[in-house]
Structures are given as structure tokens and as C-alpha cells.
Amino acid sequence: MNDYLNPELSPSRRADALLARLSLEEKMAQVSCYFVPDFTMDPADLPRTDTDYAYGTGQISCLAMRDLKTLDQVTTMQRAIQQRFMELSPHRIPAIFHMEGLCGAYAPGATSFPSGIARGASWDPQLERRIASAVGRQERAIGISQTFAPVLDISRDSRMGRQGETYGEDPTLTAAMGSAFTDGVQSSRPDGLTTEAVAKHFTGFHAALGGIHGANVELSDLELREQYAKPFQAAISEAHLRGIMPCYASIRNEPASGSKRLLTDLLRNEMGFDGLVVSDYGAITNIHTVQKVTESLAEAGLRAMEAGMDQELHIRSAFNDELAEWFRSGKADIAILDRAVHRVLEAKFRMGLFEHPFALQGEELLREFFHDDDADVTLRAALESMTLLKNDGTLPIASETRTIAVIGPHAENARYLFGGYTHLSMAEGALAAMTSMAGITTADDSGAGTFDTLPGTPIQRPEGAQFDAILHRLQPKATTLADELRHLLPGVTVITAYGYDHSGTDESGFDEALRVAAQADLVIATVGGKHATSSIASMGEGVDATNINLSPAQERFIELLGETGKPMVLVHMNGRAISSDAADRHANAILEAWNPAESGFEAIARTLTGDYNPAGRLPVTVPYTAGQIPLYYNHPNGSAWHQGGSVGFPEYVDSPHTPRYAFGHGLSYSTFAYEDLTIDNADVRAGDVVTISVTVANVSDRDGEEVVQLYVRDRYASMTRPVMELTGFRRLPIAAGERRRVTFELETSQLAFLTVDRQWKIEHGAIDVMVGGSSQSPELTGSFNIHGDAIIGGRTRGFYAGSRVD
């Protein structure tokens, strides 16, 4: 037996043995990717020996799997594609099949989960681990061994269309959630095929200038490492993250995909990453064509590979024949290519691909793909994401309510429940792109699609049979908000009206909506945008905005409805949190529902009726306007609403410095009180652990959940430090009248910061402790003192405080 075929050897030794046998052409094949244009194609039309893929490929892109109708079609095609590329490879090297995994697999019957920011609002890493376990299991069953998730971006700019993919603005919350997802998804199939997570987008992506997708990032080295790289380090150190995808942006004028400073010096040498680095789609080509840093594609390819990039996705472009000739002739050092190929092969041996290259089939597939509790997990995720921002007692819906008016486009169309990078939104986006390219702007005779532009915006309206068919095919059990309310409130009449679009200025539906509202005891208005892809979206990948508030039509309708005096509840759906002056003035209650996916309407209705008691908390700070951006709670001393009295005005001349809603804010139908904060060891040495305990009491007559949040402040330091930082949290169910005690174990290494010479330093001094249900109003405070200083390793520092409940 050849050594590389011996599963008893380590993946590294097997990679050594196989690499020594490969020709230059085989090596170049392993750093490339084949994008399957159509998973419904005849396998006979797959690449042959006279194509660019004559020696196989390293990766297969599976995004187009979304077009298949049955799992049998998926697995049959996966096996056919894998077989073809193994036949092309002289050493029968299987390809890695990759797929997005943020919200679930793009496969028929796969469970769809709420958006990243919605799950960030749950503040529940244990649930996030269960979500990731389901995603990994379903993708492995169909032959996917590389999952593109978690998204570990820190997002402090809600203009950027991709904010909804992230866990929010805070490095500690993102570190905890991202490590849990990584741990959950990197599991094995019963036969041994193992998933490797690919975290993205390394790093600083959401700090792009102007909130523009892929624009230059001007973060300092210290901020990049302390804030934006922290979740990646946590996933590497705690969950042994195996994959990294660099971002599209340039970091201080150096493309991330071609930056040795980022991909080798920081990621591998400082952070200890030892896995596979894969490019975002087209990102290496961008080095030449967009960022214009190199004079040719081959030069861009060499720069990326030298920097530490191992594979080019999604097509073969910069890792091309010209670059291969440079390696053949010695113009480029073959050791650079060998290093990348070794990492690819080692990953394939770790995944078990040589032993298990194919998707499961038959009963084995069904047993692995479908688990009874998957629906419960996504429902739980939707419920836990529900974030009650405002309530004057109107919610839960009063028992004497007899007629409810449900108004707005989101309420009657379940497609709004699904955010970017869900199976449904990607399928919609593909149809929208095809429709647009075909020049269709009105419905054809079959009602295939309406694609007119919404008034007052370039965003287009997707309606018609084909768009509806996507929903019915992927989510055949989809209901409406009115349906769910009728189910939960059988004695209540629920009437509906469209009212307004998800974007734009059209007021033509106002009269009908106001007429319907006049008949009701309570009005529930659904507001927000469409978080998706392509021209139908108001936010999503590449769909950025200067206006982070509600559309003009929605803002105006709230004003008109407010003038009627009808009790008004707003339910907001989007990839960013609601920001609305009219809502603040007129709404009696505001429920932030984000994009809650397939169980969303049930979760919303159960929350509105009081069947479920909300406990979501904002994972972002919400500005009044985009003019305040960037606005985040853990800003440095002397910044934002802590600028200091000597500067002058405490506010903008036309807006507050403070946020509309604070990070960590969220209401409940219960009332909680904080008692008895104790710090067991208030004088510690650098490197010790501080034990912090607090009792939380439910002083209401309703069972509920509280998210206990632990913040600290370094009172004085040798570098400008944040005004406060989240260091730990615990989502905690507390029965009516019950008291529960939470204990946090805070490692002082978690308080280490980078000095000007890039050393991680625990510094002596007083540390203030704040505990409560929000960053804005901590209930209890205390302090402890650190004696002495210590220089520590960044890889092994603490990332978030552990907790237990007594």
C-alpha cells in the first residue's frame, strides 16, 4: 500500500507521501476550484481531459445545488461530479465540496435558521452549538466537507448590507458564539467524513470606508488585533478552527488576499492557525483587476500564494497556466506551491475524503439528514432572537382585544422571514438575476414575474408565480403572521392590508390600510426591508445604504397611523435593527424580529400573544441616523458620548451623541432585580482568576429569561482603553418569584491589551465591575485590583468569562 493511502498514518505524513508523487499539473489542480454552473446538467458535460481541469481539482463549489428539487438528485449529482474529478486525477484525489452554512444547507429539505444577527441577539452559545451541529450534519450527509461559516466579522456600521450575517458589534459576544458554532459544525459523519469550518471574513471587513462592501479599511494594528481578530483567535484557540477565508477589502491599502502581514505574520505566526486558507470568490483576481496592485493575474496569484493563500475560489483565474510556467521555470519558487498543496492534501486527509468521498444514499442518507429535533432547534432560535425594544404595556396582546389589523408586506409573505445566505434568498436572487438579464420588467402571460422598480428607490419588486414557487418548493408549510395569530387567538378577528412596500415612497396603499386599521382594536404593522441578494434586496451582499432608517413610505404611514390614536405594535424584519423617529413617537411597542427563518411567524405570534416571553438583547448599538456611524458601546475613553467636558458641546448640533437603543438592551414581560454582587478575590495578581457572583430575582408573576451581562472598565491604563467592555454573559431562565445566583470566572488575561510594541499585557490597577441587563444601565457595581504586570501569549488569553448557575 502506498503510504498516502494508509489511514493509520497522520494526515501530515500522508500529505508528504502524496505530494512527492505529484506532477506540477496535479499540484496546480489541487489549488484550484471548479464552479458547477448547473447541478441539473448532464454529467457527460462535466470537464474532460482536454479542459483546464484535466488533472482534477482541489475544490467544488456547490452553491448551484440550490436548484435541485430532491435529495436524491443532490446526492446522485455529487457522486457523479466527485467520480469524474477523481477519474481526471492521476492519483484519484477527491475534491473538497464546499457550501455556505451560515443559515443552513442549500439543499431540498434542509433546515433554515435565523440570520447571524438574530442569533447574536439570542446571546446563547449553547443553542448556537446545536444549530451548527445540525448544519454540519446535513451538509456532510450530502458530501459537503467544508462549511463556509461562522461569520466572525465585527460589525459597527449598519450602512453595510452584510451586517445581518454577523453576530453584531462586540468581540466577546462574537468570540463566544463563533467558537460554539465552530465546535458544533466540525464533527464527523458516522462513517468518518469530517466537516471543517471556514470562518470569514478575515479581518476588519466591516470597518470598510463608507460602509461600502470591499472598500479600504484603515484600522490600526492594535484595533485590528484586539477587536476584529479576537473572535478568530478564540475559534482557533478553543475550537481548533480549520479554515479561514480572507475578506475582499484592502487593509490599509494592502489587499487582504495578498497580504503576508495578515495571512502569515498575523494569522499563522501570531495566532497559531494551522489549517487551510481559501479565497473569497474572485478575490485573488480582484488584486489585479479591482485593487490594481499587480500588473497581471499570474502576478496576483503568486502574491496571494506567497502571502499564505492555499486555494483560489470559485474558478481558476489567477492560479493559472502562466503561474504554473513560472513554477516550472524557476521564476517562482516551487516551494511556495508545495506548501499550499501540502495544506490542501492534509486537509483532505483530515476530512477523511480519501476513504469517504461520496454523499450518503438511501436510508442511510435519510437517517443522517433528517432529525426530529431540527425543527425544534430553528424554532428555539427564532424565539430566542425576539427582541422587545419598547413596550408601554400594550404587549402581550390583551385578552379583551377582539379585532386585530395586521398591515405591511412582511406579514403576508414568508419570503421576508429569510435573510441573506439562506437557501430561499439565494434561490430568489438567482431568479432575480436571470429575470433582470432577460430584460423582464412586467409579468408575462404565465405570471412568471413582476420586476418593476419600486417608486423612490432603485430596488425592484419581485412578485409572480416563479417567485412564489420558490417559497412553496423550499418551505411548503409556510404560513402568514395573520394565520399564526388566528391560530393562537381563535376568538379574535384578524384583518389584513398590504399598506406599503418594503422600500421606496409609494403611498398608494395607505387609504386601504388606514381603513382596515380603523376597524381594529389593535394594529400590528410589519415594517423593515428585504435582507437578501441582488436587485430585489434593500440590504445584503453588496447592497449597502446611506439611510439606515425605515423607508420614507413606512415612516410616513406610522405618522398617519399614530394620528388615529389606535394602539400600534411594530414588528421589524431586516438584517439591521430598526431606527425610526416615527416609531419612537407613535408606537406603543416595538418587536425586533430580524430574519427569523422558517419558524419566524410562529415565533413572532407567540411573542406578541405572550405565549412566549421575549429575552433577546441587542447585539449592536442602534444610532439615530447614519451620521453617527461608527457608534458602538465599547468606544475608547474620550470618544462618542464620553468625549469629555473640555471639548465643548455634549451633543451634535443636530443629533445626540448617544444611541437610540443601547447594546444589550431588550425588554421582557417579567421584571428582574439584581442583588448581592460579590467579588471573592478583590486583590489579585496578573494571571489570576476573579470570581464574580450576583443574584438575579424575578420579582414578577410571569416566568421569564434574563440575559445577565458582565462588563468591566480599566480605570486607568497606559493605553487608551474602552469605556467599558463585555467580559461575560449568561442567558438564564428564572421562574416567577425565583432567585438564581450566577457566578462568573473572569481570567485577568481577558483584560490584557496590546502595547505599542504589540505585546499582550495584563496591567496593574483598579478594574471596575458592572453587572446588569444592558450596557446602558448596569444594576450593580464593584471593583477589584490587579497587582503587578505580566506579558502573556495572545493565543492563550481568556476570551470570555465562564459561568455557572448555583
Side-chain angles (χ1 to χ4, degrees):
M1 177 189 293
N2 293 319
D3 281 354
Y4 74 89
L5 294 176
N6 183 358
E8 300 301 317
L9 298 179
S10 70
S12 180
R13 284 191 60 187
R14 295 178 74 181
D16 288 339
L18 181 52
L19 179 63
R21 295 171 173 268
L22 299 186
S23 66
L24 175 64
E25 290 77 13
E26 291 175 274
K27 292 176 182 178
M28 290 299 295
Q30 289 307 303
V31 296
S32 70
C33 175
Y34 177 67
F35 181 82
V36 183
D38 181 2
F39 265 81
T40 65
M41 67 194 297
D42 188 327
D45 294 329
L46 289 167
R48 300 177 296 276
T49 55
D50 59 346
T51 69
D52 286 342
Y53 298 92
Y55 293 86
T57 190
Q59 289 259 8
I60 301 290
S61 169
C62 296
L63 267 65
M65 268 188 183
R66 62 187 173 227
D67 298 327
L68 297 177
K69 304 297 190 296
T70 69
L71 272 184
D72 284 343
Q73 291 174 334
V74 168
T75 58
T76 298
M77 197 62 183
Q78 190 275 343
R79 295 171 76 93
I81 294 169
Q82 183 73 283
Q83 185 64 42
R84 168 59 58 84
F85 279 95
M86 289 172 65
E87 291 169 353
L88 289 171
S89 169
H91 288 88
R92 290 188 60 81
I93 303 174
I96 297 169
F97 282 64
H98 71 251
M99 182 179 281
E100 297 291 345
L102 172 64
C103 299
Y106 299 167
T111 307
S112 186
F113 295 96
S115 59
I117 200 167
R119 285 158 29 210
S122 77
W123 294 57
D124 191 344
Q126 290 73 31
L127 179 60
E128 189 67 5
R129 186 175 286 105
R130 292 180 66 193
I131 291 170
S133 178
V135 172
R137 171 175 46 77
Q138 291 190 330
E139 293 197 348
R140 284 190 301 276
I142 57 176
I144 308 298
S145 58
Q146 197 174 60
T147 293
F148 285 1
V151 175
L152 299 182
D153 295 322
I154 300 301
S155 181
R156 295 170 171 173
D157 192 336
S158 45
R159 294 173 299 179
M160 193 183 214
R162 302 186 76 170
Q163 185 173 59
E165 299 172 31
T166 75
Y167 294 120
E169 72 180 40
D170 183 69
T172 298
L173 177 60
T174 301
M177 298 292 284
S179 292
F181 188 98
T182 303
D183 183 60
V185 80
Q186 289 191 162
S187 301
S188 298
R189 214 165 65 183
D191 63 5
L193 182 68
T194 299
T195 299
E196 295 196 353
V198 176
K200 53 186 190 174
H201 306 85
F202 192 77
T203 182
F205 185 39
H206 282 246
L209 294 177
I212 298 170
H213 184 277
N216 197 53
V217 172
E218 296 182 351
L219 293 170
S220 70
D221 274 348
L222 300 189
E223 190 173 11
L224 189 78
R225 284 165 164 77
E226 277 195 20
Q227 303 290 324
Y228 290 84
K230 176 178 173 177
F232 293 92
Q233 183 68 78
I236 293 166
S237 297
E238 295 191 342
H240 208 175
L241 173 70
R242 289 300 196 177
I244 287 283
M245 178 182 287
C247 65
Y248 281 115
S250 289
I251 312 297
R252 295 201 312 278
N253 303 102
E254 184 181 25
S257 295
S259 172
K260 180 178 179 293
R261 174 173 58 90
L262 285 178
L263 302 187
T264 296
D265 298 343
L266 175 58
L267 179 61
R268 292 193 184 274
N269 296 342
E270 289 187 34
M271 299 174 68
F273 177 73
D274 62 359
L276 198 63
V277 177
V278 301
S279 80
D280 210 333
Y281 281 19
I284 301 177
T285 297
N286 285 0
I287 295 174
H288 167 62
T289 61
V290 176
Q291 288 141 339
K292 301 187 183 301
V293 169
T294 62
E295 296 184 358
S296 70
L297 285 173
E299 188 180 344
L302 181 59
R303 176 170 177 143
M305 200 181 293
E306 283 182 311
M309 185 74 73
D310 299 318
Q311 288 183 306
E312 179 182 28
L313 312 183
H314 60 303
I315 59 173
R316 190 170 182 265
S317 174
F319 286 4
N320 55 26
D321 289 342
E322 183 179 4
L323 181 57
E325 288 304 313
W326 290 2
F327 287 125
R328 192 188 309 277
S329 68
K331 180 178 179 180
D333 186 354
I334 192 68
I336 297 169
L337 175 61
D338 286 348
R339 180 183 64 187
V341 175
H342 189 280
R343 289 172 181 160
V344 173
L345 297 176
E346 188 174 1
K348 291 184 176 185
F349 288 122
R350 280 197 309 265
M351 293 171 181
L353 271 175
F354 279 75
E355 291 74 39
H356 311 288
F358 299 116
L360 301 176
Q361 287 185 311
E363 289 300 318
E364 190 178 20
L365 168 67
L366 298 179
R367 281 196 306 270
E368 186 69 4
F369 194 88
F370 296 107
H371 280 200
D372 291 340
D373 64 348
D374 289 342
D376 293 334
V377 173
T378 192
L379 173 59
R380 171 54 52 181
L383 288 167
E384 290 197 4
S385 75
M386 295 292 122
T387 308
L388 187 61
L389 298 179
K390 179 182 179 182
N391 187 25
D392 64 0
T394 300
L395 291 180
I397 296 171
S399 58
E400 59 268 22
T401 302
R402 289 292 170 260
T403 304
I404 298 174
V406 178
I407 295 169
H410 307 75
E412 291 294 297
N413 191 333
R415 288 193 282 123
Y416 286 101
L417 298 174
F418 299 87
Y421 279 88
T422 56
H423 188 184
L424 186 136
S425 74
M426 295 298 285
E428 279 188 329
L431 175 61
M434 289 188 295
T435 306
S436 181
M437 286 188 293
I440 297 172
T441 57
T442 57
D444 60 23
D445 291 340
S446 66
T450 300
F451 216 62
D452 55 322
T453 300
L454 296 172
T457 175
I459 298 167
Q460 294 176 306
R461 177 191 289 116
E463 294 180 356
Q466 289 188 8
F467 287 103
D468 290 341
I470 292 173
L471 176 64
H472 297 320
R473 174 168 62 88
L474 299 182
Q475 299 294 333
K477 298 179 181 179
T479 60
T480 69
L481 180 55
D483 290 337
E484 295 293 341
L485 288 170
R486 291 181 185 114
H487 172 71
L488 291 171
L489 302 170
V492 175
T493 299
V494 179
I495 52 180
T496 65
Y498 183 84
Y500 37 80
D501 298 311
H502 72 264
S503 300
T505 58
D506 186 10
E507 300 183 4
S508 61
F510 282 13
D511 288 345
E512 171 65 11
L514 291 171
R515 184 188 64 78
V516 168
Q519 304 172 46
D521 304 315
L522 174 69
V523 179
I524 298 173
T526 59
V527 294
K530 183 162 178 62
H531 178 209
T533 58
S534 77
S535 58
I536 64 176
S538 61
M539 72 177 296
E541 183 169 3
V543 187
D544 309 317
T546 61
N547 183 1
I548 64 169
N549 306 104
L550 295 181
S551 70
Q554 292 181 18
E555 196 81 359
R556 176 61 177 156
F557 183 81
I558 294 169
E559 293 280 1
L560 294 175
L561 184 59
E563 292 173 4
T564 70
K566 288 286 182 180
M568 180 198 318
V569 174
L570 298 183
V571 177
H572 183 257
M573 296 184 217
N574 210 351
R576 62 171 69 91
I578 186 173
S579 182
S580 165
D581 292 341
D584 285 353
R585 284 193 296 269
H586 298 293
N588 299 90
I590 303 173
L591 180 65
E592 180 58 68
W594 314 102
N595 295 111
E598 61 186 61
S599 298
F601 282 142
E602 179 181 352
I604 293 168
R606 286 179 60 181
T607 304
L608 295 174
T609 60
D611 183 69
Y612 178 77
N613 191 348
R617 300 293 183 263
L618 284 173
V620 289
T621 301
V622 181
Y624 285 93
T625 72
Q628 293 176 275
I629 293 172
L631 188 71
Y632 50 99
Y633 86 97
N634 55 340
H635 50 263
N637 284 309
S639 299
W641 60 97
H642 294 87
Q643 61 167 321
S646 65
V647 178
F649 292 101
E651 309 287 357
Y652 293 108
V653 297
D654 57 355
S655 174
H657 284 167
T658 51
R660 190 186 297 273
Y661 301 114
F663 175 82
H665 169 69
L667 303 176
S668 170
Y669 299 146
S670 301
T671 303
F672 302 99
Y674 285 72
E675 307 166 347
D676 190 21
L677 173 66
T678 61
I679 302 173
D680 288 351
N681 32 2
D683 288 283
V684 297
R685 305 290 301 177
D688 287 349
V689 175
V690 180
T691 303
I692 301 167
S693 300
V694 65
T695 296
V696 186
N698 184 340
V699 295
S700 69
D701 59 0
R702 182 186 288 266
D703 296 349
E705 291 179 282
E706 173 70 318
V707 177
V708 184
Q709 302 167 39
L710 173 66
Y711 296 90
V712 301
R713 176 192 299 116
D714 195 336
R715 198 176 295 172
Y716 296 100
S718 57
M719 302 286 289
T720 305
R721 302 302 300 147
V723 296
M724 65 190 307
E725 294 180 276
L726 180 72
T727 52
F729 58 91
R730 182 67 178 248
R731 186 173 178 125
L732 185 66
I734 311 176
E738 183 183 20
R739 282 172 165 77
R740 304 194 71 183
R741 191 155 181 84
V742 182
T743 297
F744 294 99
E745 300 289 340
L746 174 64
E747 299 180 37
T748 51
S749 66
Q750 197 177 331
L751 309 180
F753 57 84
L754 279 166
T755 63
V756 290
D757 54 359
R758 298 183 186 173
Q759 290 185 307
W760 289 99
K761 181 183 181 182
I762 307 173
E763 191 170 79
H764 69 276
I767 304 295
D768 293 321
V769 174
M770 297 152 281
V771 181
S774 158
S775 66
Q776 191 171 41
S777 53
E779 303 285 341
L780 300 173
T781 60
S783 66
F784 63 89
N785 289 287
I786 299 175
H787 297 280
D789 300 337
I791 301 299
I792 65 170
R795 302 180 189 178
T796 56
R797 71 190 193 275
F799 302 106
Y800 45 88
S803 66
R804 67 177 187 271
V805 180
D806 300 325

